[in-house]
Amino acid sequence: MRYAWAIFWTFLLVHMTVYVVSSMIGVSYDAAQGTILGLVAAILICIIPAILPAGPAKDSHQH
């Protein structure tokens, strides 16, 4: 369920950003561009936590 919400909100926020930016630069809104960017961002958001380590390294000594 966590991934479904992440994909939903990413998709929604990317479309909102594409709409606002396209309005600011004076071009027409392109839903296909927002969908492609949303899917790429959602995939990155779901993959990056799997790549990152879960906790601090065992060799790290913090003072």
Side-chain angles (χ1 to χ4, degrees):
M1 191 68 182
R2 175 177 63 170
Y3 293 114
W5 283 114
I7 291 170
F8 171 75
W9 284 110
T10 303
F11 188 78
L12 188 69
L13 291 172
V14 167
H15 269 276
M16 179 193 66
T17 304
V18 168
Y19 177 76
V20 170
V21 171
S22 66
S23 294
M24 289 175 64
I25 61 175
V27 297
S28 62
Y29 170 69
D30 187 13
Q33 182 181 14
T35 301
I36 293 169
L37 289 173
L39 289 175
V40 170
I43 290 169
L44 287 174
I45 288 172
C46 292
I47 289 176
I48 288 175
I51 295 172
L52 294 176
K58 295 178 183 176
D59 295 346
S60 71
H61 298 285
Q62 296 180 1
H63 296 280

